[in-house]
C-alpha cells in the first residue's frame, strides 16, 4: 500500500470500550460520507453506538444513518455518483486471488445446485418473486383500468423501496437466521456472484472497512467469506433488490453495512489485532511526545536567510553567552568545528557525536550532531543549525525531534526560508513563541556568464570545482594537475571529517601550491572555505536510481559557498564548466526557496516495540515494512525513508540472539550499504555481540598511504569500519566493544594516511563495487560525448539534453501538425 495513502486513512476516537464516533478520513476526494441520514454532505461519517449492544466495540446501527443514502431512490444521492474506486491497496487482489482463499468455488457450486440449477446451470425451478403484493395497492391507468403489469412493477418497486429503507442490522440478523437462500434464476445468480467480485475490488469499500479495523490485506478474505455467507442465506426480496441495482457501486453501498455487521460478528480477533496494530503505529501529534518540553515556555528564534548571511554567527553568539547551551550540527565535521572554535574563545564546550564523546571538564556547553541531542537535559540556549534539513527524506526526523523535544528556554534555528511556514505551524501547535529574524547575504553572489568554456585549463586560483561523483572528482583533479600549474585538494562524503578538515586547511592556507578545490556536494555545509568562485563541473547527478538535475536548493547552497565574509574573497562568484549549464544555474539561483509542506518523523524504539507486540512472529524487516504501511501521520509530517535501515535489518535477520532493541540500534549504525566490505564487518560485529563475546576489530593497519585508487578506496572503507566500531561502542554495552581506544587511534592514523594519499593522488579513479559499472546516461539522438584530446570525457549537459528533448518533441509535434494539415 502506498505509504502516504495508508498513513492518513483514518482516525477513530474511542470512548472507553465503545466507539462513539468514527471519523473516516479517506484521501479519496470523490468519497462522500454522511453525518445525518437526510443530509447529503461531504465530510465525515459518524458511527454512533447502540447502547443495547453489550461489549461490542462497533455496531452498524450507526449505519442506519446512512441507509437512505444507499437507496437508489434517495433523491440526494446521485445515481452516477463517482464512488472513486481508488488504487487503495496492493492487497486488493484480482478475482482469482480473492476467491482462492477461504471458501472454495465448490461450495459456491453447491449453492448453485441448491438454488435449483443443474450442473449445466439451466433453470429447473420457478422464478422467484419474493414480494407479496400489498393488499392495499390499487393501480389504475388513466382510463381507470387496472393494469396488472403496472401493478406488478409498482409492487416490485415498493418491495425494493422497503428493502432499501430497512435497517441493515435487522437485515443481517435475518440473513443469519435464514436456513436457506431463496431461489433465483441463473442470470440473477451470476449478477449476485459478479457483484461480490466487484465488492472485493471496491476501493471505496476497502477504505470504509478500515473504519472498523478490517485491514486492506484482510478485506478480500472478509468479502469472500461474506459472499459465502450471503449466497447461502439471501432472501428473494434482497436478491431482487440487488439484481435491480446490478453490479454497481449502489449495490456495494447497500451491502456494505450488512458486511460490517457480518465482520464485527465473525472476525472479532482480526479486528482487535488490526486495531491494536493501527493504534500502536500512531505517529500523529508528535508534539505530545515531549510533555516536559510542552510544559516549558520556550522562545524559538528563526534566523532565516541564504548562505553566508551571518545566521549561525549570531546564533552562536547567544549560545556562548548562555550559562548552559547546546549546538546541534548536521555534520560531525561541523560539530567539531564549533567545538574547537568555542573552546578557543574560552567557553568550555564538550563534543558529542555518534562516534566520540569528548568531555571538557567544567563545561556547560556541548556541541553535538543533531541525532545525539538529549531531550532530557535542560538548557538555556539551544542552536539547531540547517533547520531546513527537517525536510530531508532520510534524516529529517532528527531535526523534527530536536525542535519538538529540546528543553531549552531559547531555541535558535538557522536555515533558509523553505521551512519557515512549517515551523510557524509547529510553534502554533506546541504553543512556543516564535520570533523571526531575516537575513540577506553579506555580498550578492555574481554569476560569471563566460563559464570555463568547457575547458578545465581555465580554472583559476581560489576556484572550487564541484562534481557529483567520486569518479568525476578524481578525473577533474587529474586533468587540472596534468594540464595546469594548479594543485587540487579534494573533499567528498566518504572522507573522514578529519581528512576533510585537513584538505580544507590546505586549500585555505595561502602558503602552498594547493589553490584549487575539487569537491562534491559535501562542500555545501559546514566548512569555512576561502572560495573565490564555485564552478559546477556538471549540474546533474546520480540519485541512487537515475541521473537527475541537481535540485535548485542544493545548487543555491553550494554556490553560496563562494565569497565568505572575513575570507580572502568576500565577493562570491559562481559559474559552470559548460555554457550549456549556465541557464539552469541562473534559473536555480533566481528561484525563491521552495516551501516545504512536510517534515520528517521516525518512530522511537518504544513505538516500534509497542507495534511489535501486536504482531508477534514477524521478522524485524517485516515489522518495519508493516509499520511503514500502517502508521498514521498528521498532514505536516512524512515518515522518513528507511530503505537503508531495512537493508541492514534484512542482513541481520540471520543473526540469532539479538533483541528487538539491539536490531533497531544496529540498523542506525553508520554504514555504507553499497560497500560489501563494510556490510560484512557490521554483520560480524552483530554476530559477536549476539554471542556476548568481545567484539574484535579484526582489521589491520595498512602499510602506508595509498599508491592507487583501489588502495585509497580500501583506506576509506577501513576508516568507515572503524568509525562504525566507535559508534557501536557508544550505543551498546561498552564492555562488548573493548577495543574502542585502539579503533580511535587506528581511525586517526588512517585519516592521516588518507590525507597523505590525496596529496599525491594522480591516478584514474575506480569503482567501489568492482564489476558494477557506473550508471550510464542514455545516449540522446546523434550526440556523442566529446572526447577531449587531453584524455577526459566531456560531461554532457543533462540540462541541455532535457531542453533538447523538449525541443525535439515540440518540432515533432509541429511536423505532425503540418502533415495533418
Ligand atoms: N557579525 C559578524 N562579525 C564577524 N564575522 C561575521 C559576522 N557575521 C558573520 N560573520 C562571518 O561570516 C561568515 C558567514 O557567517 P555564517 O556562517 O554565520 O553564515 P550563515 O548564514 O550561517 O551561512 P551558512 O548557512 O552557509 O552556514 C562566517 O565566517 C562568520 O564568521
Amino acid at each position: 500500500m502506498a505509504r502516504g495513502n495508508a498513513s492518513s486513512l483514518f482516525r477513530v476516537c474511542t470512548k472507553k470500550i465503545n466507539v462513539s464516533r468514527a471519523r473516516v478520513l479517506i484521501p479519496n476526494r470523490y468519497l462522500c460520507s454522511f453525518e445525518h441520514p437526510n443530509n447529503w454532505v461531504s465530510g465525515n461519517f459518524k458511527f454512533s453506538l447502540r447502547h443495547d449492544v453489550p461489549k461490542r466495540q462497533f455496531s452498524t446501527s450507526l449505519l442506519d444513518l446512512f441507509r437512505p443514502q444507499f437507496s437508489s431512490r434517495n433523491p440526494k444521492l446521485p445515481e452516477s455518483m463517482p464512488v472513486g474506486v481508488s488504487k487503495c491497496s496492493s492487497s486488493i487482489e484480482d478475482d482469482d486471488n480473492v476467491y482462492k482463499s477461504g471458501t472454495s468455488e465448490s461450495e459456491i457450486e453447491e449453492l448453485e445446485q441448491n438454488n435449483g440449477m443443474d450442473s449445466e446451470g439451466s433453470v429447473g425451478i420457478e422464478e422467484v418473486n419474493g414480494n407479496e403484493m400489498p393488499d392495499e395497492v390499487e393501480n389504475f391507468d388513466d382510463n381507470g383500468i387496472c393494469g396488472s403489469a403496472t401493478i406488478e412493477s409498482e409492487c416490485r418497486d415498493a418491495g425494493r423501496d422497503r428493502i432499501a429503507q430497512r435497517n441493515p442490522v435487522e437485515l443481517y440478523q435475518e440473513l443469519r437466521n435464514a436456513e436457506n437462500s431463496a431461489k433465483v434464476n441463473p442470470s440473477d445468480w451470476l449478477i449476485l456472484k459478479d457483484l461480490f467480485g466487484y465488492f472485493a475490488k471496491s476501493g471505496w469499500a476497502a477504505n470504509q472497512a478500515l473504519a472498523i479495523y478490517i485491514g486492506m490485506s484482510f478485506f478480500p478474505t472478509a468479502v469472500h467469506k461474506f459472499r459465502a455467507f450471503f449466497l447461502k442465506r439471501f432472501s428473494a426480496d434482497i436478491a431482487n433488490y440487488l439484481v435491480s441495482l446490478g453490479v454497481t457501486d449502489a449495490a456495494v453501498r447497500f451491502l456494505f453495512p450488512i458486511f460490517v455487521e457480518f465482520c464485527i460478528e465473525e472476525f472479532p480477533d482480526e479486528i482487535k489485532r488490526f486495531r491494536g496494530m493501527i493504534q500502536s503505529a500512531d505517529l500523529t501529534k508528535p508534539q505530545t511526545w515531549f510533555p516536559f518540553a510542552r510544559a516549558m515556555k520556550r522562545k524559538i528564534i528563526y534566523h532565516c536567510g541564504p548562505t553566508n548571511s551571518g545566521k549561525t554567527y549570531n546564533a552562536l553568539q547567544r549560545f556562548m553567552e548562555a550559562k548552559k547551551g547546546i549546538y546541534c550540527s548536521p555534520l560531525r565535521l561541523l560539530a567539531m568545528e564549533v567545538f574547537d572554535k568555542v573552546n578557543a574563545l574560552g567557553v568550555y564546550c564538550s563534543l558529542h557525536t555518534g562516534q566520540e564523546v569528548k568531555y571538557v571538564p567544567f563545561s556547560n556547553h556541548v556541541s553535538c550532531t543533531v541525532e545525539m541531542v538529549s531531550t532530557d537535559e535542560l538548557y538555556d540556549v539551544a542552536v539547531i543549525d540547517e533547520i531546513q534539513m527537517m525536510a530531508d527524506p532520510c534524516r529529517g526526523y532528527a531535526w523534527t525531534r530536536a525542535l519538538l523535544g529540546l528543553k531549552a528556554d531559547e531555541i535558535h534555528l538557522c536555515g533558509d526560508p523553505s521551512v519557515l511556514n512549517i515551523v510557524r505551524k509547529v510553534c502554533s501547535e506546541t504553543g512556543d513563541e516564535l520570533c523571526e529574524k531575516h537575513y540577506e547575504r553579506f555580498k550578492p553572489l555574481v554569476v560569471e556568464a563566460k563559464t570555463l568554456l568547457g575547458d578545465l585549463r581555465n580554472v583559476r586560483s581560489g576556484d572550487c570545482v564541484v562534481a557529483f561523483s567520486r569518479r568525476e572528482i578524481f578525473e577533474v583533479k587529474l586533468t587540472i594537475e596534468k594540464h595546469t600549474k594548479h594543485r587540487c585538494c579534494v573533499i567528498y562524503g566518504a572522507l573522514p571529517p578529519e581528512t576533510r578538515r585537513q584538505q580544507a586547511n590546505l586549500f585555505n592556507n595561502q602558503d602552498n601550491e594547493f589553490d584549487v578545490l575539487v569537491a562534491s556536494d559535501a562542500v555545501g555545509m559546514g566548512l569555512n572555505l576561502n572560495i573565490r568562485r564555485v564552478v559546477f563541473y556538471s549540474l546533474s547527478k546520480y540519485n541512487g536510481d537515475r541521473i537527475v538535475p541537481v535540485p535548485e536548493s542544493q545548487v543555491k547552497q553550494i554556490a553560496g559557498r563562494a565569497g565568505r565574509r572575513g575570507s580572502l574573497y568576500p565577493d562570491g562568484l559562481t559559474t559552470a564548466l559548460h555554457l550549456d549549464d549556465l541557464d539552469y544555474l541562473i534559473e536555480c539561483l533566481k528561484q525563491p526557496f521552495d516551501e516545504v509542506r512536510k517534515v520528517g518523523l521516525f518512530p522511537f524504539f518504544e513505538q516500534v516495540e509497542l507495534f511489535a507486540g501486536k504482531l508477534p512472529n514477524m521478522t524485524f524487516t517485516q515489522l518495519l515494512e508493516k509499520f511503514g504501511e500502517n502508521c498514521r501521520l498528521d498532514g505536516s509530517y512524512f515518515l522518513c525513508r528507511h530503505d537503508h535501515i531495512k537493508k541492514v535489518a534484512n542482513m541481520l535477520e540471520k543473526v540469532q540472539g539479538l533483541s528487538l532493541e539491539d536490531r533497531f540500534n544496529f540498523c542506525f549504525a553508520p554504514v555504507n550499504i553499497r560497500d560489501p566490505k563494510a556490510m560484512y564487518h557490521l554483520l560480524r560485529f552483530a554476530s559477536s555481540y549476539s554471542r556476548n563475546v568481545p567484539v574484535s576489530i579484526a582489521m589491520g593497519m595498512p602499510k602506508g598511504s595509498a599508491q592507487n585508487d583501489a588502495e585509497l578506496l580500501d583506506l576509506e572503507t577501513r576508516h568507515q569500519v572503524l568509525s562504525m566500531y566507535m559508534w557501536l561502542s557508544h550505543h551498546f554495552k561498552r564492555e562488548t566493544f573493548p577495543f574502542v581506544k585502539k579503533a580511535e587511534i587506528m581511525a586517526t592514523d588512517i585519516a592521516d594516511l588518507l590525507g597523505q594519499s590525496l596529496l599525491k593522488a594522480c591516478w584514474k579513479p575506480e569503482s567501489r563495487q568492482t564489476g558494477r559499472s557506473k550508471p550510464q546516461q542514455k545516449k540522446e539522438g546523434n550526440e556523442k560525448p566529446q572526447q577531449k584530446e587531453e584524455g577526459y570525457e566531456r560531461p554532457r549537459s543533462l540540462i541541455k539534453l532535457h531542453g533538447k528533448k523538449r525541443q525535439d518533441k515540440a518540432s515533432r509535434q509541429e511536423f505532425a501538425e503540418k502533415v495533418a494539415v
Side-chain angles (χ1 to χ4, degrees):
M1 180 185 357
R3 194 182 298 143
N5 200 9
S7 60
S8 58
L9 282 177
F10 59 92
R11 172 187 305 150
V12 176
C13 315
T14 52
K15 216 185 218 176
K16 296 198 180 148
I17 357 170
N18 294 338
V19 170
S20 60
R21 184 165 183 263
R23 282 179 63 204
V24 185
L25 304 175
I26 296 165
N28 186 336
R29 65 199 160 96
Y30 295 121
L31 183 62
C32 297
S33 43
F34 313 95
E35 293 234 315
H36 189 274
N38 300 320
N39 285 345
W40 172 249
V41 287
S42 90
N44 304 319
F45 100 102
K46 276 184 179 177
F47 281 59
S48 64
L49 237 215
R50 276 184 317 188
H51 297 291
D52 57 25
V53 184
K55 287 188 195 146
R56 281 177 60 173
Q57 307 245 336
F58 300 95
S59 166
T60 48
S61 56
L62 49 103
L63 295 165
D64 301 351
L65 294 177
F66 63 103
R67 162 61 67 227
Q69 278 79 13
F70 288 95
S71 158
S72 59
R73 284 299 183 91
N74 183 348
K76 286 175 181 157
L77 175 66
E79 200 65 59
S80 60
M81 189 188 77
V83 173
V85 177
S86 63
K87 293 181 230 109
C88 60
S89 166
S90 54
S91 48
I92 303 293
E93 293 145 54
D94 58 22
D95 245 351
D96 288 350
N97 290 340
V98 170
Y99 296 116
K100 261 172 213 157
S101 62
T103 319
S104 64
E105 273 307 309
S106 60
E107 216 172 315
I108 301 301
E109 272 166 27
E110 200 184 310
L111 287 169
E112 284 172 354
Q113 278 163 17
N114 289 345
N115 241 297
M117 274 173 253
D118 59 24
S119 50
E120 275 83 46
S122 58
V123 196
I125 44 149
E126 74 279 17
E127 270 195 41
V128 176
N129 182 352
N131 303 323
E132 276 177 33
M133 191 91 69
D135 292 341
E136 67 279 14
V137 171
E138 281 191 8
N139 206 305
F140 298 93
D141 67 14
D142 288 349
N143 302 321
I145 302 164
C146 177
S148 64
T150 324
I151 290 172
E152 198 181 309
S153 86
E154 286 289 322
C155 290
R156 211 177 291 130
D157 283 352
R160 282 178 201 149
D161 271 1
R162 268 210 313 276
I163 289 292
Q165 301 295 341
R166 282 195 58 193
N167 181 332
V169 182
E170 282 171 17
L171 282 176
Y172 170 69
Q173 295 297 341
E174 256 176 46
L175 281 168
R176 210 178 55 160
N177 298 335
E179 303 215 320
N180 284 312
S181 58
K183 295 188 175 174
V184 290
N185 69 39
S187 61
D188 290 354
W189 177 258
L190 277 180
I191 291 174
L192 291 177
K193 271 179 72 177
D194 287 351
L195 174 57
F196 280 93
Y198 188 65
F199 192 128
K201 284 183 181 170
S202 161
W204 174 84
N207 276 334
Q208 292 283 345
L210 285 168
I212 53 151
Y213 295 112
I214 293 294
M216 290 283 188
S217 53
F218 185 63
F219 177 74
T221 311
V223 174
H224 181 53
K225 300 219 163 163
F226 178 53
R227 179 181 84 143
F229 164 84
F230 183 90
L231 293 181
K232 273 184 191 163
R233 294 174 169 84
F234 64 83
S235 64
D237 47 359
I238 294 186
N240 260 350
Y241 179 61
L242 284 173
V243 168
S244 77
L245 293 177
V247 183
T248 59
D249 297 327
V252 170
R253 284 169 172 259
F254 169 79
L255 279 176
F256 187 78
I258 307 174
F259 167 73
V260 168
E261 284 296 320
F262 171 77
C263 290
I264 289 169
E265 200 146 287
E266 286 295 311
F267 312 119
D269 294 341
E270 282 83 356
I271 288 174
K272 202 172 149 199
R273 204 167 30 244
F274 189 66
R275 180 184 159 152
M277 185 178 88
I278 290 297
Q279 285 176 347
S280 60
D282 187 353
L283 297 184
T284 56
K285 298 197 172 36
Q287 69 276 12
T288 60
W289 302 349
F290 306 95
F292 291 106
R294 291 300 71 77
M296 290 178 72
K297 185 154 173 40
R298 306 189 311 173
K299 182 172 178 184
I300 313 281
I301 299 104
Y302 195 131
H303 300 268
C304 178
T307 52
N308 199 11
S309 55
K311 307 179 298 284
T312 318
Y313 179 90
N314 285 314
L316 283 178
Q317 292 302 112
R318 280 295 298 140
F319 167 74
M320 289 188 288
E321 284 162 20
K323 275 200 191 125
K324 189 170 176 180
I326 182 166
Y327 168 78
C328 314
S329 151
L331 300 171
R332 205 173 142 213
L333 172 65
L334 194 52
M336 288 170 168
E337 293 254 319
V338 169
F339 166 75
D340 287 344
K341 183 174 161 182
V342 170
N343 279 305
L345 291 171
V347 178
Y348 295 155
C349 179
S350 295
L351 176 69
H352 193 180
T353 71
Q355 283 80 351
E356 72 248 276
V357 180
K358 281 189 187 160
Y359 177 69
V360 173
F362 311 110
S363 64
N364 282 326
H365 289 68
V366 61
S367 171
C368 66
T369 40
V370 68
E371 278 86 356
M372 303 310 292
V373 161
S374 161
T375 53
D376 297 328
E377 287 276 315
L378 265 172
Y379 300 100
D380 296 315
V381 171
V383 177
I384 310 177
D385 211 352
E386 308 293 353
I387 188 68
Q388 71 279 359
M389 293 277 288
M390 282 174 101
D392 185 84
C394 299
R395 291 177 65 205
Y397 68 92
W399 277 262
T400 308
R401 174 177 161 269
L403 174 59
L404 295 174
L406 262 169
K407 291 199 292 185
D409 297 324
E410 213 174 284
I411 301 180
H412 293 258
L413 312 178
C414 307
D416 68 38
S418 59
V419 289
L420 180 57
N421 269 339
I422 208 142
V423 167
R424 285 181 186 145
K425 191 162 179 278
V426 169
C427 287
S428 72
E429 284 164 1
T430 55
D432 298 317
E433 177 193 345
L434 177 65
C435 163
E436 296 168 20
K437 293 197 172 173
H438 292 269
Y439 294 72
E440 291 299 330
R441 253 185 87 90
F442 291 126
K443 293 241 176 136
L445 189 65
V446 176
V447 179
E448 262 192 5
K450 197 173 158 212
T451 73
L452 263 58
L453 301 170
D455 193 340
L456 282 173
R457 282 173 301 194
N458 291 329
V459 291
R460 277 181 282 158
S461 193
D463 277 353
C464 170
V465 183
V466 177
F468 291 95
S469 75
R470 187 182 177 282
R471 188 180 65 89
E472 281 178 348
I473 287 171
F474 281 102
E475 280 175 358
V476 171
K477 176 177 160 67
L478 189 64
T479 310
I480 293 174
E481 293 188 344
K482 196 167 165 194
H483 299 285
T484 70
K485 60 179 188 349
H486 303 288
R487 299 291 310 275
C488 300
C489 300
V490 292
I491 290 177
Y492 53 93
L495 290 178
E498 297 87 347
T499 315
R500 278 190 251 173
R501 272 174 104 180
Q502 180 252 3
Q503 292 286 299
N505 291 340
L506 199 64
F507 174 69
N508 285 342
N509 194 335
Q510 297 302 300
D511 304 333
N512 61 46
E513 66 218 297
F514 289 89
D515 58 349
V516 170
L517 180 64
V518 187
S520 72
D521 45 1
V523 82
M525 251 189 284
L527 288 161
N528 263 324
L529 294 157
N530 288 336
I531 299 173
R532 185 181 65 87
R533 177 173 67 169
V534 168
V535 180
F536 286 92
Y537 178 72
S538 80
L539 279 162
S540 49
K541 69 172 187 175
Y542 182 59
N543 71 353
D545 183 27
R546 63 207 149 87
I547 296 173
V548 293
V550 181
E552 288 157 10
S553 57
Q554 205 172 6
V555 173
K556 271 199 189 80
Q557 177 89 17
I558 296 169
R561 294 284 122 197
R564 309 259 313 162
R565 177 175 171 163
S567 83
L568 274 178
Y569 308 107
D571 304 309
L573 297 172
T574 186
T575 191
L577 173 64
H578 300 291
L579 208 52
D580 308 348
D581 288 332
L582 196 67
D583 284 348
Y584 183 67
L585 174 61
I586 294 170
E587 204 180 300
C588 290
L589 297 177
K590 258 195 339 210
Q591 291 297 322
F593 284 94
D594 276 344
E595 190 190 319
V596 163
R597 303 208 175 270
K598 286 179 188 229
V599 294
L601 268 191
F602 202 75
F604 298 133
F605 168 68
E606 290 74 10
Q607 287 163 313
V608 174
E609 191 183 31
L610 188 71
F611 184 73
K614 307 288 171 193
L615 294 170
N617 312 323
M618 276 217 176
T619 64
F620 185 55
T621 322
Q622 288 167 333
L623 269 180
L624 289 173
E625 197 109 11
K626 277 268 169 212
F627 193 98
E629 281 172 11
N630 292 299
C631 73
R632 287 188 282 160
L633 295 140
D634 290 336
S636 314
Y637 298 94
F638 64 85
L639 184 72
C640 280
R641 270 176 62 176
H642 45 289
D643 326 5
H644 62 295
I645 295 180
K646 275 198 277 186
K647 182 128 195 226
V648 176
N650 205 22
M651 180 183 75
L652 298 184
E653 288 303 350
K654 50 181 173 262
V655 180
Q656 304 287 317
L658 288 177
S659 70
L660 191 69
E661 189 168 7
D662 293 338
R663 287 187 193 281
F664 187 81
N665 287 336
F666 267 108
C667 286
F668 286 90
V671 63
N672 177 0
I673 55 167
R674 288 192 299 275
D675 185 343
K677 278 189 208 158
M679 288 291 268
Y680 158 75
H681 282 284
L682 180 59
L683 181 63
R684 196 172 55 73
F685 293 157
S687 303
S688 301
Y689 183 84
S690 71
R691 285 180 279 116
N692 211 12
V693 294
V695 181
S696 64
I697 298 174
M699 200 178 66
M701 274 297 287
K703 286 188 201 87
S705 59
Q707 302 303 316
N708 54 45
D709 201 46
E711 287 181 12
L712 188 72
L713 278 169
D714 181 59
L715 283 178
E716 288 171 18
T717 299
R718 279 171 197 264
H719 192 277
Q720 277 172 27
V721 172
L722 293 165
S723 165
M724 192 158 66
Y725 190 95
M726 284 148 56
W727 189 93
L728 292 170
S729 75
H730 288 289
H731 290 78
F732 289 89
K733 285 177 277 172
R734 269 309 263 274
E735 58 276 19
T736 328
F737 294 89
F739 308 108
V740 63
K741 281 275 162 253
K742 186 178 166 200
E744 278 169 19
I745 295 167
M746 282 175 75
T748 312
D749 291 346
I750 291 184
D752 273 354
L753 286 179
L754 274 164
Q756 289 167 30
S757 312
L758 292 175
L759 294 186
K760 56 183 185 192
C762 57
W763 48 67
K764 282 212 158 193
E766 284 190 15
S767 163
R768 187 174 289 277
Q769 274 168 310
T770 45
R772 226 190 101 189
S773 56
K774 189 187 175 286
Q776 291 292 316
Q777 230 173 269
K778 231 174 124 189
K779 274 191 189 172
E780 291 280 331
N782 297 327
E783 252 191 63
K784 281 183 191 162
Q786 289 175 23
Q787 200 74 30
K788 277 187 80 77
E789 35 186 81
E790 289 85 4
Y792 82 94
E793 192 177 292
R794 177 199 188 283
R796 302 166 76 238
S797 167
L798 190 80
I799 313 303
K800 195 184 174 196
L801 287 181
H802 281 297
K804 188 173 178 303
K805 227 173 173 180
R806 272 202 303 273
Q807 245 175 22
D808 285 354
K809 203 173 158 195
S811 51
R812 270 202 307 273
Q813 217 163 348
E814 207 178 310
F815 176 71
E817 276 163 16
K818 274 186 195 159
V819 170
V821 168

